[in-house]
Amino acid sequence: MNIREDQIVRELSHYIYEHPDEQMALMPVYDAARDHAQRGTCTHSRRCPLVTTGAVVVDERNRVLSLRHEGAFTVAEAEPEDQDDSLGGAALHLLAEAVGIRQVWTESDSDGPFLIVVTRAGQHRYGPRLRIGFRYLFRAHFGAVAPMVIETGAAAWMPLGEIGIPSVRERLHCHLASVT
């Protein structure tokens, strides 16, 4: 992975600064990432947190782009790949690959993760490690997704109330209420 630990530390640090109420939950992850960055190697017997990245895309009607995965709709998420040089870039790469969307933008006050979700082992599909999911907020016009992707059911614009991930739904609700 080309995303270096010091980039992860910066993203976590920025997020903790912006969301001090989440500091206690994120400090163990921050400390592990900082330890990796300082040592340049893993000293956690390969039990260190698994980093994933995802994109939360909202259209002009405040609907959320959701991808079909295992029979249900969810927001896009994946592990960063070797060619990705940032977590936000990895989220955009995932979107471009999954639905061909390329015309997205961030809001002027969104220069870091929109949400960071920590999931304990056994509560996600990524195996026995803690998972830390960096979510980035993007805006797009509903027409930015190829019509065929929507028509085949591979993706859909979902109303905010139908988003199945409570932390994403709640953060988006608060964010959208503060923007309007």
Side-chain angles (χ1 to χ4, degrees):
M1 174 178 10
N2 287 341
I3 297 173
R4 298 187 340 239
E5 283 83 5
D6 60 330
Q7 293 172 319
I8 294 169
V9 170
R10 276 195 305 274
E11 294 283 354
L12 280 165
S13 180
H14 178 265
Y15 185 84
I16 290 169
Y17 177 79
E18 294 288 322
H19 304 278
D21 55 317
E22 297 178 41
Q23 180 176 359
M24 290 300 289
L26 292 174
M27 284 312 292
V29 175
Y30 175 83
D31 289 341
R34 195 180 72 212
D35 184 52
H36 276 233
Q38 289 174 344
R39 293 178 191 264
T41 186
C42 178
T43 59
H44 304 103
S45 302
R46 300 205 183 272
R47 293 182 344 203
C48 52
L50 173 71
V51 173
T52 63
T53 186
V56 177
V57 182
V58 180
D59 74 359
E60 59 273 12
R61 296 184 201 163
N62 290 336
R63 298 176 302 175
V64 179
L65 181 63
S66 299
L67 306 181
R68 183 170 298 282
H69 179 71
E70 297 179 358
F73 284 104
T74 187
V75 293
E77 176 186 65
E79 293 179 65
E81 296 179 1
D82 289 341
Q83 70 268 20
D84 297 323
D85 58 358
S86 70
L87 292 167
L92 285 174
H93 176 254
L94 169 64
L95 277 178
E97 196 174 86
V99 295
I101 193 170
R102 297 188 192 287
Q103 300 169 346
V104 299
W105 64 92
T106 59
E107 294 179 3
S108 58
D109 63 344
S110 298
D111 57 346
F114 164 71
L115 178 65
I116 295 178
V117 179
V118 177
T119 310
R120 293 175 187 236
Q123 296 178 347
H124 57 77
R125 65 179 189 264
Y126 292 103
R129 296 163 46 195
L130 190 70
R131 180 196 60 88
I132 177 166
F134 288 79
R135 306 271 193 213
Y136 293 86
L137 180 62
F138 300 99
R139 287 288 199 160
H141 295 293
F142 75 94
V145 177
M148 185 172 65
V149 173
I150 301 293
E151 290 167 11
T152 62
W157 290 103
M158 306 292 286
L160 181 58
E162 293 182 25
I163 300 304
I165 305 170
S167 58
V168 171
R169 188 176 57 243
E170 291 164 12
R171 180 64 55 90
L172 257 180
H173 178 74
C174 292
H175 177 77
L176 295 173
S178 71
V179 172
T180 57

